[in-house]
Amino acid sequence: MLQITIPETELYDDKVGEFIYTKETKLKLEHSLISISKWEQHWRKPYINTVEKTREETIDYIKCMTLTQNVDPNAYRCITNAHIKQVNEYINNPMTATTFSDKKKSGRREITTNEVIYYQMIELGIPVEFEKWHLNRLLTLIKVCTSYREPQKKRNKKDIMRDYKAINKANRAKFKSKG
C-alpha cells in the first residue's frame, strides 16, 4: 500500500467564479486487480497494455486505487507531477524477489485485461481474495502457478548418459566392483 499526502490547497473554479479550499488529504492507495477493473470499466481499454496514459487517465487510476473513504473530489485536482511519479514508482515495484527467465518469448503480444487475469486466477484455483494484492505480486503468483503446471522438460541423452556414468562410477567405488 502507498500513502501520499496532498497538502492544503487553494483552487479557483472558473465555472462558478470562486475559490475552493481543500484540506490536507492523506490517500491510501493500492495497485490491485480491483483498481484495474474499475479503471477499465470506465475507460473501456486495457490498463496493462496502455503504455502512455493521459494525465486525466492517470488521475482517474489514482481515484480507482484509493482506499481512503470520503475523499473530497477536489483533492484529486491538487495531485502534482511529483505525486504521479511516486505512484508510478509504486506501480512499477515488483513487490517480490521472484524472477523469471523468458526463454520462450513469442513474437505475438497478448492483450491483458482484468477479465483475462480473473480467468487465470479461476483456472489456476487462486482465491478471489488475492485480487487485493499488489498487481505485480499477483501476476508473479500466476506465473509461478503456471510454471508448476507445465510438463517437465525432457532431458537430452547426453545429460542422461553423463548422470548414469557418474552413478555407475560411484557404485563401483562403493561396492568395490568392476562392473
Side-chain angles (χ1 to χ4, degrees):
M1 181 182 337
L2 173 68
Q3 183 169 317
I4 61 171
T5 303
I6 300 171
E8 184 178 314
T9 309
E10 177 183 292
L11 302 168
Y12 185 75
D13 189 343
D14 290 330
K15 294 176 187 171
V16 184
E18 60 185 39
F19 287 97
I20 301 169
Y21 299 94
T22 62
K23 296 178 183 177
E24 178 180 274
T25 308
K26 292 184 187 294
L27 296 178
K28 290 183 181 179
L29 308 175
E30 185 64 60
H31 175 55
S32 67
L33 189 52
I34 295 171
S35 306
I36 288 178
S37 180
K38 290 176 186 176
W39 189 88
E40 287 180 354
Q41 184 179 7
H42 180 253
W43 293 96
R44 294 181 185 89
K45 63 182 180 179
Y47 177 86
I48 294 172
N49 299 99
T50 304
V51 178
E52 291 296 320
K53 294 172 187 66
T54 65
R55 181 171 176 81
E56 182 184 9
E57 291 171 336
T58 302
I59 299 293
D60 189 52
Y61 187 64
I62 292 171
K63 288 178 188 176
C64 294
M65 291 172 64
T66 302
L67 300 176
T68 309
Q69 299 291 316
N70 304 319
V71 175
D72 178 1
N74 289 317
Y76 294 105
R77 293 174 55 190
C78 304
I79 291 176
T80 64
N81 288 339
H83 290 123
I84 290 173
K85 182 179 182 221
Q86 189 179 4
V87 169
N88 285 334
E89 286 171 356
Y90 166 72
I91 288 171
N92 294 324
N93 187 330
M95 295 294 182
T96 181
T98 304
T99 58
F100 296 93
S101 63
D102 291 335
K103 290 182 181 174
K104 54 177 183 177
K105 285 209 176 203
S106 63
R108 96 186 166 143
R109 185 177 147 198
E110 187 175 315
I111 295 176
T112 306
T113 63
N114 73 89
E115 289 86 2
V116 171
I117 297 170
Y118 276 114
Y119 164 77
Q120 291 172 335
M121 289 172 65
I122 291 166
E123 185 69 25
L124 295 167
I126 298 171
V128 74
E129 296 84 41
F130 287 47
E131 70 186 349
K132 296 177 183 174
W133 278 19
H134 186 286
L135 185 69
N136 293 342
R137 189 169 175 219
L138 174 60
L139 293 176
T140 300
L141 176 64
I142 289 171
K143 264 188 169 179
V144 167
C145 291
T146 303
S147 71
Y148 275 93
R149 283 189 161 196
E150 290 176 358
Q152 293 293 323
K153 286 185 182 178
K154 289 187 176 181
R155 297 173 54 204
N156 66 34
K157 288 183 181 180
K158 186 178 177 183
D159 290 340
I160 294 170
M161 295 306 288
R162 185 191 67 231
D163 292 346
Y164 282 157
K165 201 176 201 179
I167 291 169
N168 286 336
K169 184 178 179 183
N171 284 340
R172 282 194 300 271
K174 181 179 176 182
F175 298 112
K176 297 178 182 23
S177 69
K178 292 185 179 185

